[in-house]
Amino acid sequence: MPQYDYDLFVIGGGSGGVRAARVSAGLGKRVAIAEEYRYGGTCVIRGCVPKKLFVYASQFPEHFADAAGYGWTVPEASFDWPTLIANKDREIGRLSGLYQVGVENAGGTAFHSRATLVDAHTVLIESENRTVSAEHILIATGGRPNPHAALPGHEHCIFSNEAFDLPTLPKSIVIAGGGYIAVEFANIFHGLGVDTTLIYRGKEILQRFDMDLRRRLHEAMVAKGIRIQCHTIFERIERRGDGRLAATVMGGEVMLADQIMLAIGRIPNTENLGLEAAGVKTGVRGEIVVDAHSRTNVPNVFAIGDVTDRVQLTPVAIHEAMCFVETAFKGNPTVPDHDCIATAVFSQPEIGTVGLSEDDASKRFANLEIYSASFRPMRHTLSGRQERMLTKLVVDADTRRVVGAHVLGPDAGEMAQLLGIALKAGLSKDDFDRTMAVHPTAAEELVTMYKPSYLVKDGVRQA
Ligand code: NDP
């Protein structure tokens, strides 16, 4: 008779939790998972997946406009927001079902319930008002948008969650934040015809990215008609008598809009989880503190994904889940590798990036070679669109290793995935040079930039 009801109980049915549950169940472990809302978590229900569908939706006006140069006459187009929402809901419903079924087909049990810790081995399944015990517990409860409680009138604002299900498409929106979500949604709303303003507290959007990409993207967004104001924050939000919102920003300017969206980061979901009862420690941001193996201070309790506030990306949570399975059930303690993570911002134009920005690389390496090409992608020639593409490689001149690769332009995210392999493998600029170009593509620029555009020595750009 086993000591516990389950070998593993997972709290949270998002990308990380479901992966850990499914793979562990596939190994023959007795696994249960609990999700209080819908299986799929942030990525599937209110993040990456619906966001990308919205990005596609928002790109059509440019496609229609570009078609003329290729000989097409496109009749005046109209857009129906409820159709997009309904079709998006159908797709995420399908995916959510697959997530749950995946666990069950592997032999696991999937609860639709909030689950909280009673002690280090006991979980309360709230919907059934009963407890179960487990040898290992994995917390994968993710995060949620920072509500910015200090902002007077924050209750009038929407967050990315609500943006996916607005009853009507607003005519105007002001978005605060300069990260992934603010930038992606500014482009989505603008593309769908919404008068869009982005405000950001820093000097340039997308702080952790290469400065050339940040500036070029900023310029491209402004050229499309998105207003961007840096160095500013909201001071208060008020609802006017006519139902519109008035946002007062630093300096006193008042911005009027139908909706105001806050995208100022996400915070871990750790409240009322019973962490204190189980003795699990949290950090200053409320995140669950884990060691390199995703183990909390309580040896049988692990945590992965956004709730640990390490790198808030779906593939990272999935990777951490796989490492957890190796560690807990395969006798192969495995540390998640958070180095050199390729990432994309689904802005318009898109960003794809892997490795170090020029600024970060210049702090780590004494001699850099920077290869950079700015050009009009072929698809924009006949369309007449002026938007330019940027490809950039950051090379440690002493070892010849490519330490950063950055792309701004169509399909940059797809390119970043493949560049990620090259950089992870530690390939050198000579390897890039030896690689035959695929012609005619935009990506061929990445292997045909033979001469450095400039050098950076001890952090200083050389003439
Ligand atoms: P980010 O961390 O990317 O950006 C948060 C932004 O909000 C930053 O610009 C930050 O400014 C600003 N900010 C923070 N606090 C305040 C404040 N009090 N007042 C004004 N501005 C503030 O978070 P997001 O919310 O955009 O996204 C959350 C996470 O989700 C991301 O970290 C990302 O990992 C993930 N994500 C990934 C996507 C993808 O892979 N394509 C898409 C969407 C989300 P500052 O720069 O000065 O700190």
Side-chain angles (χ1 to χ4, degrees):
M1 177 88 179
Q3 191 182 351
Y4 301 106
D5 298 324
Y6 296 104
D7 299 316
L8 171 66
F9 197 102
V10 181
I11 304 179
S15 300
V18 165
R19 176 62 66 96
R22 180 166 63 73
V23 176
S24 303
L27 293 174
K29 300 295 170 188
R30 296 166 309 135
V31 175
I33 182 169
E35 165 59 49
E36 65 178 330
Y37 183 50
R38 295 173 73 185
Y39 278 89
T42 300
C43 173
V44 171
I45 309 296
R46 47 188 125 64
C48 325
V49 172
K51 180 273 306 292
K52 190 90 187 269
L53 297 173
F54 278 23
V55 169
Y56 288 136
S58 68
Q59 287 172 334
F60 281 97
E62 287 197 355
H63 295 329
F64 297 147
D66 290 353
Y70 287 91
W72 291 94
T73 303
V74 180
E76 196 186 339
S78 64
F79 171 68
D80 186 52
W81 173 254
T83 301
L84 174 63
I85 301 288
N87 290 346
K88 175 266 296 178
D89 285 344
R90 204 178 50 243
E91 175 58 8
I92 65 172
R94 184 183 73 83
L95 291 173
S96 178
L98 288 178
Y99 267 61
Q100 181 179 340
V101 166
V103 174
E104 290 168 344
N105 285 350
T109 302
F111 292 102
H112 270 284
S113 173
R114 184 168 174 78
T116 51
L117 294 169
V118 177
D119 61 40
H121 286 285
T122 311
V123 176
L124 171 66
I125 299 169
E126 294 192 356
S127 68
E128 301 184 8
N129 198 22
R130 69 178 173 104
T131 57
V132 295
S133 63
E135 183 178 3
H136 295 88
I137 291 172
L138 179 68
I139 303 170
T141 47
R144 64 183 186 284
N146 178 348
H148 202 350
L151 174 70
H154 68 277
E155 66 278 8
H156 300 307
C157 300
I158 60 164
F159 300 87
S160 51
N161 290 356
E162 291 78 25
F164 288 116
D165 292 299
L166 290 173
T168 53
L169 183 65
K171 289 199 169 49
S172 56
I173 192 163
V174 183
I175 302 174
Y180 285 83
I181 296 179
V183 168
E184 290 179 343
F185 269 99
N187 283 280
I188 289 169
F189 280 118
H190 170 77
L192 294 177
V194 180
D195 181 80
T196 303
T197 303
L198 179 67
I199 72 159
Y200 171 51
R201 67 179 178 180
K203 77 171 178 195
E204 188 54 280
I205 55 172
L206 291 174
Q207 202 200 141
R208 281 161 290 186
F209 290 79
D210 187 89
M211 189 49 103
D212 282 338
L213 270 68
R214 297 164 67 189
R215 284 204 197 100
R216 300 277 187 119
L217 175 62
H218 182 142
E219 287 163 13
M221 288 170 64
V222 169
K224 287 180 198 291
I226 300 170
R227 276 183 300 280
I228 302 182
Q229 282 194 22
C230 291
H231 290 303
T232 197
I233 53 167
F234 288 142
E235 286 194 333
R236 63 178 179 280
I237 314 291
E238 289 151 316
R239 188 170 292 282
R240 303 191 330 166
D242 62 2
R244 297 190 82 204
L245 294 168
T248 306
V249 299
M250 221 168 62
E253 186 189 343
V254 177
M255 298 177 174
L256 294 181
D258 295 333
Q259 293 287 0
I260 293 182
M261 177 170 165
L262 299 179
I264 60 165
R266 294 175 60 83
I267 53 176
N269 281 331
T270 45
E271 285 91 356
N272 306 318
L273 261 186
L275 296 177
E276 307 77 16
V280 174
K281 280 197 189 134
T282 52
V284 285
R285 294 176 307 281
E287 80 282 11
I288 295 182
V289 179
V290 289
D291 68 10
H293 290 96
S294 304
R295 191 189 296 268
T296 70
N297 60 303
V298 178
N300 71 301
V301 180
F302 291 72
I304 55 166
D306 287 4
V307 76
T308 64
D309 202 17
R310 287 177 283 183
V311 184
Q312 297 176 351
L313 293 172
T314 299
V316 173
I318 291 171
H319 170 67
E320 289 168 358
M322 298 301 281
C323 293
F324 159 76
V325 174
E326 291 289 326
T327 301
F329 295 129
K330 292 172 92 175
N332 177 30
T334 304
V335 173
D337 179 358
H338 293 126
D339 189 39
C340 202
I341 297 169
T343 182
V345 183
F346 293 100
S347 46
Q348 298 171 39
E350 201 167 293
I351 281 180
T353 192
V354 55
L356 300 174
S357 67
E358 179 184 329
D359 281 350
D360 287 344
S362 68
K363 289 177 194 129
R364 304 238 306 242
F365 302 99
N367 294 301
L368 294 179
E369 290 176 357
I370 308 296
Y371 298 79
S372 170
S374 168
F375 55 95
R376 211 163 147 210
M378 195 174 184
R379 69 159 76 174
H380 291 341
T381 52
L382 297 197
S383 72
R385 188 167 293 284
Q386 294 303 314
E387 214 163 274
R388 296 178 75 78
M389 190 151 181
L390 178 75
T391 52
K392 179 170 176 179
L393 296 179
V394 179
V395 177
D396 170 19
D398 295 326
T399 62
R400 304 286 300 139
R401 200 159 68 88
V402 180
V403 295
H406 312 282
V407 182
L408 174 74
D411 304 321
E414 305 287 341
M415 293 181 208
Q417 180 63 83
L418 303 181
L419 285 166
I421 302 171
L423 267 73
K424 195 78 191 162
L427 297 190
S428 72
K429 181 63 173 62
D430 306 315
D431 297 314
F432 276 62
D433 291 348
R434 263 204 306 276
T435 304
M436 195 67 76
V438 179
H439 185 72
T441 63
E444 68 183 301
E445 291 295 327
L446 290 160
V447 295
T448 54
M449 297 186 289
Y450 298 115
K451 285 218 168 76
S453 308
Y454 54 92
L455 307 177
V456 178
K457 197 169 171 40
D458 297 325
V460 180
R461 179 173 168 161
Q462 309 295 294

